[in-house]
Amino acid sequence: MCFRKKILLPPKPSITFYEAPQGSIGPELRALNIKILYPLDSQYFYTTTWGYGQAVDYIRRIHSFPPYAAEKFDCDDFAILLKALLSEYFGLSAVGIAIGETATGGAHAFNYARAESGWITIEPQTGQIVTDYKINHILL
């Protein structure tokens, strides 16, 4: 006889969802002087700033993020992972992989997400919303 261990996940937070057509996302980013690389969806789904905080906290509670390893699992890998998990668990597709600079001027990859009040920057290695990164390009 074989028994499978069932893993119980905590309940997902209840967040508000919005959607926007591709035709509105591109002009918003261009108005911010951000080069959008290949918008891939015709509709984008997003939430509130609070909702992103709740979603990221939930993901970080249930998913074990690997440790940082320079050149092996670093900023771009964290940004790709967080984008994928936000899509998988919450259907949030208006989260991009952004390339830009930190406040100290170092090249960096992070997440840039459409929220109800505009665009927010998420540091994928910590899950924190930051305000001092400069974004140059985004894959959305």
Side-chain angles (χ1 to χ4, degrees):
M1 212 184 299
C2 181
F3 293 98
R4 289 187 184 185
K5 183 178 178 182
K6 187 172 184 176
I7 299 172
L8 297 177
L9 298 176
K12 284 185 189 177
S14 179
I15 61 177
T16 303
F17 293 95
Y18 301 96
E19 70 181 278
Q22 180 191 80
S24 67
I25 297 288
E28 285 179 15
L29 292 169
R30 283 190 289 281
L32 296 169
N33 294 319
I34 298 169
K35 295 176 185 156
I36 184 169
L37 306 172
Y38 309 109
L40 300 172
D41 297 319
S42 60
Q43 288 291 112
Y44 288 94
F45 298 89
Y46 60 98
T47 188
T48 62
T49 301
W50 178 86
Y52 279 111
Q54 294 295 303
V56 169
D57 287 346
Y58 175 82
I59 287 168
R60 293 183 73 83
R61 275 197 326 269
I62 66 167
H63 193 280
S64 177
F65 276 55
Y68 175 89
E71 312 307 330
K72 294 180 182 175
F73 199 94
D74 52 14
C75 62
D76 55 320
D77 303 297
F78 278 98
I80 291 165
L81 178 60
L82 185 58
K83 178 190 178 18
L85 292 173
L86 286 168
S87 292
E88 177 186 1
Y89 286 101
F90 292 93
L92 296 169
S93 59
V95 178
I97 300 164
I99 306 296
E101 299 172 9
T102 63
T104 58
H108 193 49
F110 47 91
N111 297 105
Y112 201 58
R114 175 71 163 86
E116 87 292 357
S117 59
W119 291 84
I120 60 170
T121 302
I122 305 169
E123 171 50 63
Q125 295 176 60
T126 64
Q128 300 298 309
I129 294 173
V130 295
T131 59
D132 54 357
Y133 289 1
K134 179 180 182 245
I135 179 172
N136 298 319
H137 297 85
I138 187 168
L139 177 62
L140 192 62

